[in-house]
Amino acid sequence: MSDKFEIGSVLTGKVTGIQPYGAFVALDEETQGLVHISEITHGYVKDVNEHLKMGDEVQVKVLSVDEKSNKISLSIKATQEAPAEAPAAAPRKPKKRQATVVKNHTESAPGGFNTLKDKLEEWIEQSNRNDLIKK
């Protein structure tokens, strides 16, 4: 089988089966290989059926040939040029559940976030107060 199908060669095949994990492609009368869902196209593929149909003729590249199990791994994506990178997305606004950062801690509302230094000074002051010491 490996003498017929060399790793790296590009062939034309016909889609003979579609599964949730990929598509089976017939390379000749008696040989078929699997195009895993991750090798169908550049980008995310949720459903193989959105990209391929039974009987489609596709260009595939041979990724690997396993003689023992008679399995051939194929890729459609490897025969296509990768798309140009998308421009960076605009920064998102913070979600409402996120805290707002206040640069000067003296401006923060009571019960808001305090720095450890401020809290430590407060705790030391409380520990020195006689009316708070348990007897």
Side-chain angles (χ1 to χ4, degrees):
M1 179 172 25
S2 64
D3 48 316
K4 262 174 113 173
F5 304 105
E6 286 187 34
I7 294 172
S9 59
V10 177
L11 310 163
T12 301
K14 187 176 274 193
V15 176
T16 59
I18 295 179
Q19 295 295 321
Y21 51 85
F24 290 96
V25 175
L27 301 174
D28 62 20
E29 295 293 324
E30 62 242 10
T31 311
Q32 65 179 353
L34 175 68
V35 178
H36 187 266
I37 190 170
S38 64
E39 293 294 331
I40 291 176
T41 189
H42 295 279
Y44 179 72
V45 175
K46 183 176 182 179
D47 184 3
V48 177
N49 293 296
E50 293 175 0
H51 299 271
L52 299 171
K53 297 186 306 271
M54 294 284 287
D56 281 354
E57 286 214 352
V58 292
Q59 290 278 100
V60 293
K61 184 173 187 175
V62 178
L63 298 179
S64 68
V65 178
D66 187 343
E67 292 285 338
K68 291 179 184 174
S69 62
N70 286 334
K71 292 184 179 179
I72 301 176
S73 295
L74 304 171
S75 174
I76 297 171
K77 174 171 74 172
T79 65
Q80 302 166 346
E81 191 173 315
E85 286 190 33
R92 295 187 202 176
K93 293 181 182 177
K95 295 178 182 174
K96 289 183 180 180
R97 67 175 183 249
Q98 292 178 331
T100 303
V101 177
V102 179
K103 294 195 187 233
N104 187 348
H105 69 314
T106 58
E107 297 173 12
S108 63
F113 292 103
N114 296 329
T115 64
L116 186 56
K117 179 183 174 207
D118 293 340
K119 277 311 261 184
L120 186 58
E121 289 172 4
E122 181 182 330
W123 294 330
I124 291 171
E125 185 181 308
Q126 287 175 355
S127 69
N128 292 332
R129 287 180 47 193
N130 288 330
D131 60 327
L132 296 177
I133 299 174
K134 290 184 181 178
K135 296 181 182 182

